[in-house]
Amino acid sequence: MILTKLQSIDPNILFYDTTNHIIQSSAEGFAIKAYTSLEEDEGTAPPPPPPRDLFVKYVEPKKYSHKVWADLKRTVHYTRTEVRFYNEILPLLKTKVKDGWPICPTVYLAEYELDGLLLPEDHNEEQFLGIANKLSNGTSTQSCSCLEEPKYDESDTSVLDGKYGILVMDNLKEVNNCFQTSPLESNMAQQSVKALAKFHAIAFQNHEILTTVSSRLCRFGGSYHLKNRNPKEMQHLEKAFDDFMQCIGPQAPLGFFDDTMLQNLGKRVYHAAEFISQELSPSPSEPFATIVHGDYKAMNIFFPMEDKVLTGSITTSPTPFLIDFASTGVGLGVSDLAMHIAHAISCDDLDNGMEERLFHHYYDTLQNALPHSLKNVYSKKDAWRHYKFATVDYFRFILGRQWKGVTMQVFEKRCKDTNFGMVNRCTRAALHFVKRADVYLREIEEEMQQPRNY
């Protein structure tokens, strides 16, 4: 399969070597060297051309048939979303970029074959996700309106035969001399947030682009958006936090969990989740709406590297490259920022005020990148309020998805895994996150008690 696809972008490719094989929960990655000629005997001329350094992302749904319905369907949906982003949305965004920033690596192929796994195009994403979530909870499809019954059955995976999604792009590490790391040092965090703000500015309140994004990608942008998650995660919130206090509590400072409201954080997040999600879910035509990346973790950012031989230090170019647009859609930009800060910033930096500094840097960069007609339509006060909502929203996801049954052994196992966020790798970061979520949620709860103006 991979060789055939490589030859579709360059018929001269004869074979390839895999230099790195990355296996994730719902996709595989292959760093490869693609050769366009066989090696010749020494002394022959001309010498063979150097191999092409490419990266292939491949999703074969049948490999993940062990997943429950909602999770497998989400994997398939994200596969389609990422292919559509590169083919349909990226060209629109590039017409709005003024400084030549490429946004992402050069992509040579983006395609999928997913017939029979997704609802027809005339049914919207919210209906699709609703059916998937009902089925994962055992609800009969007869109660799911008049939509076509999904065809996947865990006892018969034949519908998954021949289905795939594939991306072929430049290997940024080799072609552009880039690197990834986590957590991010202060200077790199500044650059990652700058790139994020520039990305959001491209389509900020652009109704035409956002309408296309909404219809072709994710209506609700973000891998952790409530509408995109399995409802069972919500059911775990209260117990997950009780388990967290029991298992991780001994690592907390003395008296950390003495406050009754903090002890009930899981239950409080559950009751506020819908209210918070509504505040973070603008339509394409609503104020402050933009395109959101959806999974803005440190390992989805590539920093171009300049070698400093004399000092041994590393500096970064002005704007990094972004990857992994599988959950890109419409939303509020600070949803990406809230995830990024929780995911990529060290405990020491958070203790020293990095959260506030990065928020201000994000906001100022966004304002500078917006066209004159849109400057200051989004006040810093509104953005800070939305950021607090987004922080609690991401906490809801972490608690229900990542902290269910968590133990110190789990934290120790994840400690060196840079794909996990700092709140899943470091107990200090986790406790810092708990504290921030509690403080911000108290403000939100006060707001929930106020009369709403419609």
Side-chain angles (χ1 to χ4, degrees), residues 30 40 73 91 93-94 114 137 142 171 210 221 229 291 308 326 331 350 372 423 441:
F30 302 86
E40 301 290 341
K73 293 293 285 187
L93 301 182
K94 284 190 172 182
L114 301 170
N137 287 329
Q142 293 179 355
N171 183 340
L210 295 180
R229 303 309 309 172
I291 185 171
K308 290 294 187 88
L350 288 173
H372 181 75
V423 295
L441 182 55

Side-chain angles (χ1 to χ4, degrees), residues 310-328:
L310 295 178
T311 64
S313 64
I314 293 174
T315 60
T316 61
S317 71
T319 309
F321 295 86
L322 314 184
I323 64 166
D324 198 349
F325 296 87
S327 51
T328 297

Side-chain angles (χ1 to χ4, degrees), residues 182-228:
S182 178
L184 299 180
E185 295 180 1
S186 177
N187 66 319
M188 288 184 286
Q190 294 277 339
Q191 297 301 333
S192 67
V193 166
K194 177 181 179 180
L196 183 64
K198 288 179 62 176
F199 181 70
H200 292 156
I202 295 171
F204 185 82
Q205 291 193 180
N206 187 313
H207 181 262
E208 182 179 359
I209 291 179
L210 295 180
T211 298
T212 303
V213 169
S214 178
S215 63
R216 299 298 290 167
L217 305 185
C218 294
R219 165 62 187 90
F220 301 102
S223 58
Y224 70 93
H225 192 287
L226 186 62
K227 294 288 188 182
N228 297 337

Side-chain angles (χ1 to χ4, degrees), residues 67-122:
K67 291 188 175 187
V68 298
W69 171 264
D71 290 341
L72 180 59
K73 293 293 285 187
R74 186 164 53 246
T75 295
V76 172
H77 189 265
Y78 287 166
T79 300
R80 184 180 73 176
T81 294
E82 188 163 25
V83 168
R84 287 181 172 181
F85 172 82
Y86 288 118
N87 287 338
E88 304 176 27
I89 306 302
L90 182 60
L92 298 178
L93 301 182
K94 284 190 172 182
T95 65
K96 304 294 183 181
V97 176
K98 304 302 183 184
D99 61 359
W101 178 41
I103 302 175
C104 60
T106 300
V107 176
Y108 302 101
L109 177 70
E111 70 175 33
Y112 59 79
E113 171 50 62
L114 301 170
D115 287 350
L117 301 186
L118 296 173
L119 294 176
E121 292 292 346
D122 57 347

